Amino acid sequence: MKKLITVCALFLGLIMLAGCGDKYEALPINEDTDVCAICNMQVKDDAFATQLTTKDGKNVKFDDIGCMHKWKEQQGTENIGMDYVRDYNNKEWIEYDNATYVYDASFRTPMAYGIITFKDKKSAETFVSEQGVGKIMNAKELASHDWKQNTDKMQMMDEDGHMHKEDQKGMDMKSEMTSSHK
Amino acid sequence: MKKAEQTLIYRLLFIALLLICHQVLNMEEALASTSIGQVNSLQAIIDQLDAGDAIELPPGTYAGPATIDKMVSIRGNSEVTLLNPSGAPAISILSDGVHLANIQIKNNASGDQSPAILVKSHQVTLEDLTIQTSGYGIILRDADQAILQNNTITWFKPEANKPKQKGNGIDLYNSNGTLIKNNHITGVRDAIYLEKSRNARIQGNKLSRTRYGIHCMYIDGSSVIDNEGQYNITGAMVMGVKNVVVSGNVFRRQSQNVHSQGILLYDVQSSSINKNVVEGNRVGIYMEQSSENELSNNAVLRNFIGIQLINSNSNQFHGNEFIANVIEAEAADSQKNEMMRNYWDSFQGLDLNHDGTSEIPYAINPFYQLLVTQTPAYQLFFQSPGMTFLSDMFTNGQEDWSTDSSPLMNADISHTVSTESAKGSADVLAIGLLLLCTAIYTIIYLGVMRE
Amino acid sequence: MNDMLQVARREIKTGFRNPWSYTFLILFCVFSLCLLVINSQSIVQGYSGVTGSMLSLILYLLPLMTLFLGSFSLTAEKEEGSWQLLSTYPIGTLSFIVGKYIGLSIVLLTIVAFGYGLMGVISGLVGMSFASSTYVLFIAFSCGLVLLFLTLALLIGSLSKNRWQALTVSVSIWFFAVIGWQTILISVLNFLPYTWIKPTLVALTFINPAELVRLFVVIKLGGGSILGPEYYQWVEWIQRSSGSWLFIAVCLLWISFSIMVVYWLWERGRSHG
């Protein structure tokens, strides 16, 4: 029994040492095991993935920033240690508060929330000027966003949907291309 | 004299052999040169057609990419092969009413996401196509009323690439009223992916070794009927839909991945899920944030977890059979469902008035589910004797558990008989006999008999 | 070496003359036949409700049987004074302990073999669909349980003064390892910070032979994915053939370590007279 206790104590000591690293860190995405905590879809290792770490060290991943927002609605934000989003261009992890957000209903994201994130305002502006659409927001402005999922084409284009559909198509092929080249 | 004759014969034989070899080599060369020489440009053929024409391609090898921008019907036969090493789609269809049939397409541009066929127009029919792709199979964009049937779509390099580099087999976006029938799809990312495409009918397809067999997002009013899937990560992933019918599908052996399911329902409203068979999956039916659905007459067999309900209320469950699952049901925050007349094989009911249902209700214990949601590490305790013991002791708030008010006493035999068959009864007999003899020998010679 | 074999032979002989052994033999046979009857309608293959409940039932019975037979054998040596007699001869304590272990494991494995043999023969004759890989895995599972719990039994037998004490300790160890384990762990681990829970749990699992063997078999039956993403790498590793070797190595380490502890206890007892 004594031995058992010694072993346990030793082990706990080891974990303690291991645990004293950096407090919060964005973890890499493992496509084999990571699914979105909200919608259960596989989290792809792409620019739409987000994650947060709670204060007790639990890491939660999402496939779309909209799902992360939903999680925050359900669980509250008090217990969040750090939350991360990814830069659209180079998939670098950035802190939620420091990111720039671009929204348009025509942007295709995994759960159709239509929000794309950038590490700085400049790259966001470049993207918007390339696309011709998009509303730029910072984290504070994003808090008042309505988080509507663009699931229903009837909502956004009424009878005369053709113009809009063309935009969408251009966008979606483009995003496919960009993601395939990375 | 005899010897000379023999040598002569040998020589002759040798020369004959040489000649044959030469002939064969020549023939191969000839074949190679003709097949190279005969690669026709499909685009050139299409350019000569007028709208309304129907042609049958002569056997041979053709080269893509090609764009079809007029209403034509192109039919091949089993010897028509279209090669497309370019980065563009092998065939792009831009005109309404195009009909394409019986062509083998090899879309093998390396490291490219381009589809074998891209459809951007209405009323297109694609049938009996055999597609090997290293990108997507068939992509439909803003293409209504398409018919895709009897096609075979496979991944070009089996097992070579991880799913993240793969494309989907059939990929729909903004395309309504599509019929997807009797296709065979293996090895791609999602076999059939539908987004924002209403009133689709997905019927009789066979899907295996993909990420999600059928992945539906926002496809109100569609039906998923009589499909079969196995060895996918998830058989049918149904998300964000209303008024959908999921019926008569069979999903087996989705158990490899830590998130595998037979059928996943997330944010599904007012839909009917009936007569499906889910067998040997990690989770048979997983349901989250879904309401007003009817789940009836499903056979849930030999899964690790039969059915898992998270935050789903106002659904109706009746006539389902849960047989030989390690854990039949898990439920959390899902107490307001109507459960009646389901069969739970591990439940010992009591039928006092002989109406075929038990007077004792069957309640789903939420303890394990709550425990692992909080701390996933405890999944290590899945169905260990101690965990069962602990769950049984947990009776807090039993009135709030999901409860089947009148569980069935007996299962419908037709469902229980599985199509699976385990081999090896003879082996078991042989090993058993061997063990028994050894044991008896040991007891007698080492124990009972004196030296 | 010769001493060891002598001790083992003697142990087997007394083992098979011990009515307790036959009681357990009958119990185990009845029990495996009951399992057959219950599952006669189903397919026994892979990880399912059928094999899951078989696992649990075996986990209840086999460790208890092993702990009783093993610990009683050692306390009997003390109670009947044969150890006192033996220790006057020039026989090594290690030979004695290892001999005991080998002898007892042959007795126990024979009981297990008899039970499974009967089960296999009957299921073969009845024509049940029992996958041979699953059958073999269950035999391996039972043997692993017996061999690991036997070292615990020797430990209990060494520490107990008499049969009654051994009985009490055996039952409590059995309860702790098989039934109470999860309850105790959950209540204790909840005091730890979240990030410590998983590593502690993994480390503690190596200490409990019941959990160690159970998890190995669940994974080998193809049920590893139910353990969730936390243990994904472990599961992948164990599913390969190298996983079996690792498991055997861990078991051997376990056995040799506990035998050394038992040896040390008896050696101390011997020198203290």
Side-chain angles (χ1 to χ4, degrees), chain B residues 427-441:
Chain B
D427 296 354
V428 171
L429 179 67
I431 301 169
L433 215 57
L434 191 74
L435 281 177
L436 199 60
C437 293
T438 321
I440 292 170
Y441 177 86

Side-chain angles (χ1 to χ4, degrees), chain B residues 35-210:
Chain B
S35 65
I36 289 167
Q38 271 181 8
V39 167
N40 309 302
S41 158
L42 185 63
Q43 188 66 61
I45 296 171
I46 292 167
D47 288 344
Q48 287 164 6
L49 296 175
D50 293 320
D53 280 1
I55 58 155
E56 185 169 333
L57 293 173
T61 308
Y62 298 81
T67 303
I68 304 178
D69 50 3
K70 49 200 150 201
M71 197 190 97
V72 290
S73 163
I74 301 175
R75 182 172 284 279
N77 57 36
S78 52
E79 285 152 65
V80 170
T81 307
L82 176 69
L83 301 176
N84 181 41
S86 82
I91 299 178
S92 308
I93 299 175
L94 305 178
S95 171
D96 291 358
V98 170
H99 188 130
L100 218 57
N102 216 346
I103 301 174
Q104 285 193 50
I105 302 175
K106 291 186 175 161
N107 188 43
N108 58 340
S110 57
D112 197 89
Q113 294 274 301
S114 73
I117 298 180
L118 173 66
V119 181
K120 291 183 161 187
S121 54
H122 305 309
Q123 285 110 29
V124 168
T125 305
L126 305 174
E127 56 190 354
D128 302 314
L129 303 173
T130 306
I131 297 174
Q132 287 181 313
T133 183
S134 56
Y136 282 71
I138 300 171
I139 288 185
L140 272 71
R141 292 285 178 270
D142 312 305
D144 293 348
Q145 275 110 43
I147 297 172
L148 314 174
Q149 59 187 1
N150 303 327
N151 302 297
T152 305
I153 302 175
T154 48
W155 182 245
F156 209 54
K157 295 162 243 169
E159 311 307 321
N161 286 339
K162 289 185 125 189
K164 63 174 165 184
Q165 287 125 352
K166 291 179 176 179
N168 300 324
I170 295 175
D171 184 303
L172 268 67
Y173 186 77
N174 247 342
S175 303
N176 299 325
T178 313
L179 173 68
I180 302 174
K181 198 174 171 186
N182 299 345
N183 300 289
H184 288 237
I185 304 175
T186 49
V188 292
R189 181 165 46 149
D190 294 352
I192 300 174
Y193 178 83
L194 302 99
E195 189 175 341
K196 290 209 271 178
S197 301
R198 287 148 184 276
N199 305 322
R201 190 178 172 88
I202 304 154
Q203 189 175 11
N205 301 289
K206 290 198 167 58
L207 321 158
S208 61
R209 299 184 194 283
T210 64

Side-chain angles (χ1 to χ4, degrees), chain B residues 255 257 302 304 324-326 376-382 384-386 389-390 425 428-429 432 436 439 443 447 451, chain C residues 13 17 45 47-49 59 110 114 117 121 128 130 135 178-179 182-183 189-190 194 201 214 222 225-228 231:
Chain B
S255 66
N257 189 275
R302 305 184 341 113
F304 302 162
N325 301 291
V326 181
Y378 290 141
Q379 288 182 62
L380 204 59
F381 296 154
F382 181 79
S384 62
F389 173 77
L390 193 56
S425 276
V428 171
L429 179 67
L436 199 60
I443 292 173
E451 274 160 49
Chain C
K13 194 153 272 182
R17 291 190 188 151
Q45 184 185 30
Y47 191 44
S48 68
L59 267 176
T110 307
F114 193 91
V121 168
M128 244 181 90
F130 199 147
Y135 180 64
V178 177
I179 299 177
Q182 280 76 18
T183 315
L189 289 179
N190 274 350
Y194 179 83
L201 197 58
R214 182 185 71 86
S225 64
I226 201 63
L227 305 178
Y231 305 99

Side-chain angles (χ1 to χ4, degrees), chain C residues 243-265:
Chain C
S244 306
W245 293 112
L246 174 82
F247 178 72
I248 291 169
V250 169
C251 287
L252 286 178
L253 208 70
W254 226 98
I255 292 166
S256 39
F257 178 74
S258 350
I259 284 184
M260 286 321 288
V261 173
V262 174
Y263 163 72
W264 175 71
L265 283 170

